[in-house]
Amino acid sequence: MARFFENDICIVTLTFVAFFVAQLIQKKTRIILLNPILVAIIMIISFLFIFKIDFEVYHKGSRLIEFFLKPAIVALGVPLYQQLGKIKKQAVPILVSQLVGCLVGVVSVVLIAKWMGAPRDIILSLAPKSVTTPIAMEVSKTIGGIPPLTASVVILVGIFGSIFGYGIMKFSRVKSTLAQGISMGTAAHVVGTSKSMEISENYGVMSSIGLIVNGILTALLAPYILQLLHYCDLF
């Protein structure tokens, strides 16, 4: 029985079915904590545990989904192009906010992890936590982190941002559509962008900007930010 489910097609089907069911549960219950990605992950882990399927087998079978992850991110350029006029008018505040978001995202997690006594490789794995998984894993590999650990943290950060992001901004009285959307993309990458797309295309576009620009800035600046922290004896 277990060997039947080790087939690549079964694993891909299992992944899509789990996410589809998780979406139905979230729509039916409207419970914000039942995030579709979180519920789908729990369902798949439970399935692998019950049928005693190794994670390596699941990972190998799900390569097709992984292959389409990067092209899916590139496709976010479509809504960006459609809103290019609005983006040009807000170019300066967008770039400044993204630079600040990149610095805060990397520096805050490094200092907190250092303060809590995390070893160097763990700290380096956490540094690119706010950018989408393919970029985060490449950055982690470049700076000496552990890419699989980085991927796990990135997913957790995205789920947290998706569940609590808009609530936190509402509590903080952040009312601007631009600020809310960009903040979600900057802090919660593609998961936050998916949540923003559910609200409206406008929020989704702004979140896409945060996702893409912060990803580029983190990929370019993270190594230098870490070197500067090390030079200042903070890391």
Side-chain angles (χ1 to χ4, degrees):
M1 186 69 175
R3 288 200 171 187
F4 172 77
F5 289 113
E6 292 177 1
N7 181 284
D8 290 0
I9 295 175
C10 286
I11 287 175
V12 172
T13 304
L14 164 69
T15 306
F16 280 109
V17 169
F19 187 69
F20 178 72
V21 172
Q23 279 189 312
L24 288 181
I25 292 173
Q26 211 278 330
K27 286 182 180 177
K28 192 78 175 176
T29 61
R30 298 285 182 185
I31 299 175
I32 194 169
L33 291 176
L34 295 179
N35 179 277
I37 295 177
L38 178 62
V39 173
I41 289 174
I42 293 172
M43 291 170 67
I44 291 172
I45 290 175
S46 302
F47 187 88
L48 298 180
F49 180 77
I50 292 170
F51 289 97
K52 302 186 186 307
I53 300 172
D54 290 338
F55 172 74
E56 290 301 325
V57 174
Y58 174 78
H59 183 247
K60 184 180 176 184
S62 62
R63 284 175 302 179
L64 185 62
I65 299 173
E66 193 175 318
F67 172 78
F68 282 107
L69 188 58
K70 293 178 182 178
I73 294 171
V74 174
L76 290 173
V78 176
L80 285 179
Y81 177 76
Q82 292 173 338
Q83 301 291 332
L84 198 57
K86 293 182 181 177
I87 295 170
K88 284 181 178 177
K89 292 178 182 176
Q90 303 290 338
V92 174
I94 287 173
L95 288 175
V96 172
S97 65
Q98 289 302 286
L99 184 59
V100 173
C102 171
L103 289 171
V104 171
V106 175
V107 173
S108 61
V109 74
V110 167
L111 295 183
I112 291 172
K114 176 70 176 177
W115 176 66
M116 296 184 74
R120 180 181 175 82
D121 56 346
I122 300 297
I123 295 174
L124 293 173
S125 304
L126 297 177
K129 63 168 178 49
S130 295
V131 297
T132 191
T133 308
I135 297 175
M137 292 182 73
E138 289 298 323
V139 173
S140 178
K141 191 189 302 180
T142 301
I143 61 180
I146 307 169
L149 174 61
T150 302
S152 303
V153 173
V154 166
I155 293 170
L156 290 175
V157 168
I159 292 173
F160 181 87
S162 175
I163 294 175
F164 298 108
Y166 279 106
I168 292 172
M169 285 187 280
K170 184 178 179 181
F171 179 77
S172 306
R173 299 184 180 180
V174 178
K175 297 178 181 177
S176 163
T177 303
L178 173 69
Q180 289 186 348
I182 284 186
S183 298
M184 283 296 282
T186 304
H189 50 84
V190 73
V191 183
T193 301
S194 175
K195 177 67 179 177
S196 300
M197 286 286 189
E198 290 178 10
I199 297 174
S200 77
E201 184 179 329
N202 202 19
Y203 278 96
V205 168
M206 296 305 154
S207 189
S208 300
I209 296 171
L211 161 70
I212 294 171
V213 179
N214 187 43
I216 294 171
L217 289 176
T218 301
L220 293 175
L221 300 180
Y224 299 105
I225 295 171
L226 293 170
Q227 284 182 8
L228 181 61
L229 291 174
H230 181 71
Y231 179 77
C232 296
D233 202 24
L234 296 172
F235 164 60

